[in-house]
Amino acid sequence: MTQTEFHSYRFDSNSEPSDEQLGQLMENAAEKVRETNRESDEKFFAELRRASEEAKKRSTTQSDML
């Protein structure tokens, strides 16, 4: 299935996708999910590192006050 065919395909009740079309659609969906998960993981761990560094700074500051 070419990219043009893939982007122009629409599910409807009058026709079923071929096995090749369905496989390509499923693979493209799976790739999108993997990409989204990777991006979410990167954002999560960046925020976790930021929060950890912030907590370390607060801990250091509080121990300096004692």
Side-chain angles (χ1 to χ4, degrees):
M1 172 184 282
T2 67
Q3 286 294 348
T4 303
E5 290 171 326
F6 173 76
H7 289 292
S8 66
Y9 183 82
R10 299 290 177 257
F11 285 102
D12 65 37
S13 59
N14 296 327
S15 64
E16 295 288 327
S18 69
D19 288 345
E20 178 188 354
Q21 290 172 321
L22 188 56
Q24 185 66 42
L25 291 166
M26 291 170 55
E27 180 57 37
N28 286 7
E31 180 60 34
K32 183 66 175 172
V33 168
R34 285 189 291 269
E35 179 182 326
T36 300
N37 285 345
R38 182 186 51 75
E39 290 170 357
S40 295
D41 285 350
E42 288 174 0
K43 288 178 184 177
F44 172 78
F45 286 109
E47 177 60 21
L48 187 61
R49 282 189 295 276
R50 186 201 62 74
S52 176
E53 290 301 319
E54 185 178 307
K56 286 178 188 176
K57 288 177 185 176
R58 280 196 313 264
S59 176
T60 301
T61 303
Q62 288 176 355
S63 64
D64 289 345
M65 291 179 173
L66 300 176

